[in-house]
Amino acid sequence: MKAIISICLIIGLAHANLQEEFESFKQMYNKIYKDVTEHDQRKLIFKDNTELINQHNERHAAGEKSYKMGVNQFSDLHFKEFQELMLSSMNANVLANGITQTFTSSPSVTIPESIDWREKGAVTGVKDQGACGSCWAFATIGTLEGQNFIKNQQLVSLSEQNLVDCSKKDGGCQGGWPDNALNYIKDNGGVDTEDSYPYEAKNGECRFNAENIGAKVTGIVVVASDDESALAAAVAEKGPISVAIDASLFQHYQGGVFDEPTCQGAVNHGVVVVGYGHDDNGGDYWLVKNSWAESWGENGYIRMARNKDNQCKIASHGVYPLV
């Protein structure tokens, strides 16, 4: 009888803890569900995800994993829901023709052991793409903001919504490519500032205004594909670089160096490499700015494994603008 009572107490405590954690999660991320049925479904998904997170973090504590997982705004989503909501369809066969040149690393140039363009003032704050597959626009704007700062020594936040609405070779919230978006900016004579054309996380009519241009593009440079040395040199010598990666396993990332040898799928997300370095526990890493708000990862950033056979395809599609 005592054993049965103890089991019941354990189950009751676990249920109470889950309820408390879920209520805290809803409040923190302003989660509102349409009815009781959806609420209960999300609660079960949240339970499964927290169990997965806890199991992973046990392996992290044992030294088996280089990064931690944690609860974030995606913790009430199934894996497939997360992919459909936050990741894009990126077809490399629809790239623009406006590439000016290819960047390759020079043997005569010694690059620093680490670099962080945030420290140099070339990176705006982390933004949030919301429930819109516009990562490509944020990756485009991120590298252009950096190049514009390096040339003019003025950091101007530029408009992703301008690209979502006006870059017709891209698909707005349905996905796109930084190459195409940079080509649009070049042909269009510029892109508006964030203040004049704020982000709405939805497709809209093009409202570009030449009076509000914040930056221009004169050419497009791609980084030698699948070459992490070339990418490191480009980041060190040129500034923040837009890349396309496989972000399928990013849902629960919280911190540390993301090292997953199985991360070799098709690219589905655009981000910006703003630096690189070395971590005593996780090894060499890329410092990557994401567009899922500061509540995700390391205040909106992820450190991804570097010099690990081009993990997550990070060095396969690097690009930056000439300004």
Side-chain angles (χ1 to χ4, degrees), residues 281-292:
N281 295 318
D284 292 346
Y285 65 82
W286 298 106
L287 179 61
V288 177
K289 181 185 182 184
N290 203 354
S291 53
W292 295 344

Side-chain angles (χ1 to χ4, degrees), residues 9 21 26 35 85 99 123 149 171 173 185 187 217 243 253:
L9 285 172
E21 290 175 5
K26 289 192 299 179
D35 53 33
L85 182 67
I99 304 302
V123 185
F149 169 82
C173 286
I185 297 171
D187 293 342
V217 170
V243 296
Y253 172 82

Side-chain angles (χ1 to χ4, degrees), residues 35-46:
D35 53 33
V36 174
T37 299
E38 185 188 10
H39 177 277
D40 291 346
Q41 289 174 339
R42 295 299 168 193
K43 183 177 177 181
L44 286 175
I45 295 170
F46 178 82

Side-chain angles (χ1 to χ4, degrees), residues 222-276:
V222 294
V223 181
S225 186
D226 303 327
D227 186 341
E228 290 193 74
S229 295
L231 180 58
V235 173
E237 296 176 32
K238 301 300 181 180
I241 306 294
S242 167
V243 296
I245 60 171
D246 174 9
S248 302
L249 303 177
F250 282 15
Q251 182 175 0
H252 307 299
Y253 172 82
Q254 186 179 68
V257 177
F258 182 86
D259 185 355
E260 288 288 354
T262 60
C263 187
Q264 293 291 347
V267 295
N268 51 27
H269 191 50
V271 291
V272 185
V273 179
V274 302
Y276 59 82

